[in-house]
């Protein structure tokens, strides 16, 4: 799990390794799907940080793949999707110098009318483009149907004073219109980066794994608690290209976000689009199997809804409200459609995407799909490894047991 790496690399080693935000996500699957966290605008994808992998391929061979050995397979492992090319048994990842500080900005802005909310979205887009569209800032902002903008942003490489100064103009703009907006619990600050994943020093932000035998450093973020065991009603995602941030397009972007937010909460995962990242970071992402659209997108939008508590077999819980679930799923479709009007065919992140995505080959891998398919045929001609909407899965029935082509 990434928490094991963050403990070893950052808390103990004082370095940085590019992984995922949720500490309980596994390393092997995330690297093979791309892999982002809130610092990806500075360090790129986890896939781009892969230097070497040991993999058992369908023929039973143990291969050590890198830029020199089986470079085609090595490239496919960098974003071509987990469970498709073999069983990865070891990975070697690049580490980076750790920034001095990691920080955050938070708060809620409640607009008192639809008109005020539409204006707020427009103002936030302009503020983002002017001030936050750079390697320092990642996730999240949420636009909610109840006309609330929720700020949950993460920064790297800024002092506490710089972090606060970045946001003060936006907070001041909101406060200047008390008849239109209510600003709730705003704030911004930064901390020593080495303590970011140190659950002893930041115990108020983590839920510890208290099961017998769990390592002391195992924990997940309190902010991620809502995802634990969630039963999803629907889920969709798409990248938004940075061209939408151009001044003459900001209004149509704001209009689309407002229209989408009428149906469902819209979340911008800003670290999951690499426009605004340093040129070498974007170039490294283009050198992987991930859809190259990621390098030109300023954010991944995720629209999803579900319910808790978990719905595991044998786990006592109230019955699912199927009518509400279907309505949510439909609203998610409507919200995503509003954004696809301004960003058609802009791609989607394989690991956080719509299970029912019809254009998945193009959406997840873009121009890379044909090459990935030929690598799949070369290393797994019989189709031993099958994943729903994985490379080559169109040759198989939905359960992966009957060859169709
Ligand atoms: C709560 C939650 C939070 C998430 N947060 C993020 C995030 O912050 N950033 C992000 O980029 N993504 C995130 N994701 C998506 C995540 O990247 C994928 O779910 C990822 O595939 C998880 O990797 P895993 O190792 O846990 O694999 P699993 O979910 O167990 O498997 C995913 C796929 O990879 C395959 N796989 C796993 N291990 C191997 C291996 N050793 N060799 C070959 N194939 C393997 C599996 O067969 C499967 O097809 C999140 C997902 C969830 C559920």
């Amino acid at each position: 799990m990434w928490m094991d790496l963050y403990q070893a690399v950052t808390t103990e080693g004082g370095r940085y390794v590019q992984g995922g935000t949720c500490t309980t996500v596994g390393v092997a699957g995330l690297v093979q799907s791309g892999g982002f966290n809130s610092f990806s605008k500075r360090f790129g994808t986890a896939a781009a940080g892969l230097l070497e992998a040991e993999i058992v391929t369908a023929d039973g061979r143990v291969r050590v793949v890198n830029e020199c050995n089986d470079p085609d397979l090595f490239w496919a492992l960098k974003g071509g999707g987990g469970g498709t090319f073999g069983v990865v048994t070891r990975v070697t990842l690049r580490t980076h110098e750790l920034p001095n500080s990691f920080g955050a900005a938070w708060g809620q802005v409640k607009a008192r009318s639809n008109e005020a909310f539409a204006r707020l979205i427009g103002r936030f887009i302009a503020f983002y483009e002017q001030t936050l569209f750079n390697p320092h800032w990642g996730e999240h902002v949420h636009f909610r149907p109840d006309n609330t903008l929720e700020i949950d942003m993460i920064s790297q490489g800024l002092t506490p004073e710089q972090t606060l100064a970045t946001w003060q103009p936006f907070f001041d703009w909101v406060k200047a219109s008390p008849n239109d907006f209510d600003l709730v619990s705003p704030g911004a600050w930064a901390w020593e980066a080495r303590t970011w994943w140190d659950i002893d020093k930041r115990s108020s932000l983590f839920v510890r794994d208290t099961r017998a035998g769990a390592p002391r450093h195992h924990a997940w973020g309190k902010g991620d608690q809502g995802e634990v065991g969630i039963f999803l009603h629907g889920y969709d995602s798409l990248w938004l290209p940075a061209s939408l941030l151009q001044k003459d397009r900001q209004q149509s972007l704001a209009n689309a976000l407002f229209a989408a937010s009428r149906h469902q909460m819209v979340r911008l995962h800003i670290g999951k689009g690499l426009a605004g990242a340093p040129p070498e970071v974007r170039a490294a992402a283009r050198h992987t199997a991930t859809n190259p659209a990621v390098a030109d997108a300023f954010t991944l939008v995720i629209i999803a809804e579900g319910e808790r508590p978990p719905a595991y077999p044998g786990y006592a819980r109230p019955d699912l409200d199927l009518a509400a679930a279907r309505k949510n799923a439909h609203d998610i479709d409507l919200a995503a459609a509003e954004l696809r009007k301004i960003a058609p065919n802009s791609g989607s992140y394989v690991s956080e995407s719509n299970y029912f995505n019809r254009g998945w080959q193009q959406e997840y891998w873009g121009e890379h799909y044909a090459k990935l398919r030929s690598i799949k045929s070369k290393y797994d001609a019989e189709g031993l490894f099958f994943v729903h909407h994985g490379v080559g899965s169109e040759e198989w029935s939905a359960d992966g047991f009957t060859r169709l082509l």
Side-chain angles (χ1 to χ4, degrees):
M1 297 191 322
W2 284 102
M3 194 50 158
D4 297 317
L5 272 75
Y6 296 150
Q7 170 72 14
V9 176
T10 301
T11 311
E12 291 172 12
R15 302 264 307 163
Y16 178 81
V17 60
Q18 182 57 50
T21 304
C22 291
T23 55
T24 56
V25 166
V27 174
L30 185 126
V31 166
Q32 289 178 81
S33 67
F36 305 89
N37 70 8
S38 306
F39 308 119
S40 287
K41 275 277 204 256
R42 167 64 190 85
F43 298 103
T45 63
L50 183 67
L51 298 176
E52 186 172 276
E54 181 184 78
I55 178 170
V56 185
T57 41
D59 55 7
R61 275 182 60 189
V62 179
R63 299 167 192 256
V64 175
V65 300
N66 50 40
E67 290 283 359
C68 303
N69 298 342
D70 297 325
D72 52 354
L73 180 56
F74 176 60
W75 174 82
L77 293 183
K78 295 193 290 181
T84 302
F85 300 98
V87 180
V88 173
T89 44
R90 183 172 59 81
V91 293
T92 306
L93 299 172
R94 186 187 302 280
T95 66
H96 305 261
E97 193 176 331
L98 187 67
N100 286 334
S101 53
F102 290 151
W106 58 90
Q108 290 188 352
V109 187
K110 294 186 176 173
R112 297 188 201 282
S113 67
N114 288 350
E115 294 68 30
F117 192 50
R119 198 155 62 83
L120 176 67
I121 295 175
R123 176 64 201 163
F124 178 79
I125 297 297
F127 171 66
Y128 176 79
E129 191 271 330
Q130 282 162 9
T131 314
L132 307 176
F133 183 40
N134 57 54
H136 290 297
W137 288 96
E139 17 266 65
H140 297 105
V141 284
H142 303 171
F143 302 101
R144 296 207 318 228
D146 67 354
N147 290 341
T148 301
L149 167 68
E150 208 170 302
I151 299 160
D152 184 15
M153 295 284 286
I154 305 285
S155 67
Q156 64 79 29
L158 299 174
T159 64
E161 295 74 20
Q162 288 170 324
T163 311
L164 187 54
T166 304
W167 281 83
Q168 203 57 54
F170 183 73
F171 292 151
D172 289 345
W173 182 88
V174 172
K175 279 192 233 161
S177 301
N179 293 334
D180 285 337
F181 308 118
D182 189 13
L183 181 59
V184 183
S185 312
W189 203 244
W191 299 266
E192 187 193 351
R194 198 164 175 170
T195 65
W196 192 255
W197 289 290
D198 185 334
I199 62 169
D200 291 326
K201 296 205 170 117
R202 290 165 61 86
S203 57
S204 63
L205 299 175
F206 285 100
V207 181
R208 286 176 190 268
D209 185 346
T210 52
R211 290 174 299 178
R216 269 205 81 248
H217 64 272
H218 272 194
W220 60 91
K222 278 194 179 152
D224 299 326
Q225 180 65 37
E227 293 185 11
V228 177
I230 187 171
F231 182 90
L232 287 167
H233 297 163
Y235 198 108
D236 208 349
S237 73
L238 70 156
W239 277 306
L240 293 184
S243 55
L244 292 170
L245 293 174
Q246 287 163 11
K247 297 239 168 351
D248 60 342
R249 301 195 66 193
Q250 286 182 8
Q251 189 59 52
S252 63
L253 171 60
N255 292 347
L257 287 168
F258 177 77
S261 74
R262 300 306 81 193
H263 302 290
Q264 260 298 343
M265 178 164 74
V266 176
R267 301 161 205 241
L268 303 192
H269 287 235
I270 286 166
K272 293 172 184 169
L274 298 185
E280 67 277 11
V281 168
R282 299 172 65 207
R286 286 202 184 91
H287 197 58
T288 69
T290 299
N291 188 337
V294 68
D296 299 319
F298 78 94
T299 190
L300 181 77
V301 176
I302 297 182
I303 309 171
E305 194 46 88
E307 66 184 82
R308 302 130 194 120
Y312 301 122
Y315 189 98
R317 51 157 291 146
D319 287 342
L320 289 173
D321 182 347
L322 276 179
R326 291 200 175 104
K327 179 172 181 338
N328 273 335
H330 185 56
D331 288 346
I332 289 165
D333 289 346
L334 295 176
E338 293 292 350
L339 292 169
R340 289 205 165 89
K341 286 182 195 165
I342 57 160
N345 310 314
S346 59
S348 176
Y349 172 39
V350 56
S351 267
E352 293 179 290
S353 66
N354 187 344
Y355 184 87
F356 304 101
N357 194 326
R358 289 204 186 93
W360 54 271
Q361 295 98 327
Q362 188 62 31
E363 289 271 302
Y364 302 157
W365 293 290
E367 67 204 46
H368 293 323
Y369 191 72
K371 185 173 164 191
L372 284 166
R373 184 104 190 248
S374 73
I375 294 168
K376 171 77 173 166
S377 304
K378 177 174 166 189
Y379 289 94
D380 185 16
E382 301 297 318
L384 178 66
F385 300 108
F386 170 89
V387 168
H388 172 77
H389 287 178
V391 173
S393 61
E394 61 274 75
E395 292 183 14
W396 294 87
S397 58
D399 63 6
F401 285 106
T402 308
R403 193 186 270 283
L404 304 176
L405 301 177

